[in-house]
Amino acid sequence: MTALTHPRLPARRGGGAGTWWSKAVLRAVEEAAFSAEDLRKGRALARAGAVGSITVAEGDAVAAVTDGQDAFTVEVTVPVLDDSDASAFTELVAAEAGRIGALLAGQLPHALVESVEEAGVELLPYGGELGSACTCEAWLDPCPHALAVLTQLAWLIQADPFVLTHLRGLPRERVLRDLHRLAPPQDAVTAEDEPAPEVVDDLVVAEDAAVRAARLLQRDSPFDAW
């Protein structure tokens, strides 16, 4: 299992516009909430910076949440894709030039998600898929602390769609590894195939785009817009 810890997000004002895919995740969080009051408190905790660093792994994420003088540990869960669905996702990413580069640059193309859904693969979660457990001993899950963590996960997914694929069982390294496996060998390309190595070229361009995007993200945090 691959785990990646994302640093604590700073406090912020309001919810911001977000991206279409982060809005979709936030809608799932809304669906999962048992009451508007719990949702409001969860959002308030998230905006106040009460959620600590979030460790994301295949199928779950863990974080500490501070609430007044107390601190609680929250684990949220998302079903992972089975091997068949994971393979279908990777193949659909590789099927069209530009998709790999978009993901590495922090974008989630709408056309890609539509293709994934048409193939019967659930990438974006819905409310009933979001599980949680918290040490606050609330009567119902998700409690406001879990909703705070889920809200901040949506913010992380806004900046990096690989956080979403990681939760679904496909960390960034696995996606890139599987894409390289799908790419045709260079010596197998013939004149008839040109411009056949789109996937190979796309990976090269995408890696360069990812480096540039990472530098921009370090210089200008995307969370400032929230």
Side-chain angles (χ1 to χ4, degrees):
M1 180 175 289
T2 302
L4 180 61
T5 298
H6 300 266
R8 176 194 294 268
L9 298 179
R12 70 196 65 193
R13 295 179 181 177
T19 57
W20 76 266
W21 59 89
S22 65
K23 289 179 180 179
V25 177
L26 287 171
R27 281 196 297 272
V29 177
E30 293 174 0
E31 293 170 1
F34 282 95
S35 71
E37 181 180 355
D38 285 351
L39 185 60
R40 282 194 297 270
K41 183 173 181 180
R43 287 173 172 172
L45 289 169
R47 292 168 184 161
V51 179
S53 58
I54 301 178
T55 299
V56 176
E58 291 89 329
D60 66 14
V62 178
V65 179
T66 302
D67 187 359
Q69 299 298 313
D70 299 314
F72 306 100
T73 300
V74 175
E75 179 180 18
V76 297
T77 58
V78 180
V80 300
L81 301 179
D82 61 26
D83 290 341
S84 176
D85 285 350
S87 296
F89 171 79
T90 306
E91 290 169 3
L92 287 167
V93 172
E96 185 173 310
R99 287 178 174 176
I100 305 166
L103 286 172
L104 288 169
Q107 301 295 313
L108 185 59
H110 197 276
L112 169 60
V113 175
E114 286 184 333
S115 297
V116 168
E117 291 179 347
E118 289 172 1
V121 178
E122 295 285 352
L123 181 62
L124 292 169
Y126 56 88
E129 288 187 307
L130 301 177
S132 65
C134 180
T135 57
C136 74
E137 300 180 352
W139 286 98
L140 297 173
D141 289 323
C143 65
H145 310 115
L147 292 169
V149 174
L150 288 167
T151 298
Q152 288 214 353
L153 275 173
W155 296 349
L156 290 175
I157 291 168
Q158 175 189 337
D160 183 5
F162 280 112
V163 175
L164 175 59
T165 65
H166 196 165
L167 286 168
R168 286 298 199 184
L170 289 168
R172 182 180 188 275
E173 293 75 13
R174 178 180 170 184
V175 174
L176 294 180
R177 182 193 68 209
D178 292 347
L179 286 169
H180 276 290
R181 288 175 177 172
L182 288 175
Q186 290 284 9
D187 57 4
V189 178
T190 66
E192 295 179 357
D193 295 325
E194 292 187 3
E198 289 182 349
V199 175
V200 176
D201 292 343
D202 210 16
L203 281 169
V204 174
V205 173
E207 290 287 2
D208 182 61
V211 172
R212 294 198 301 272
R215 290 172 181 166
L216 288 173
L217 289 173
Q218 290 175 354
R219 187 181 66 188
D220 185 13
S221 173
F223 301 113
D224 293 340
W226 283 90

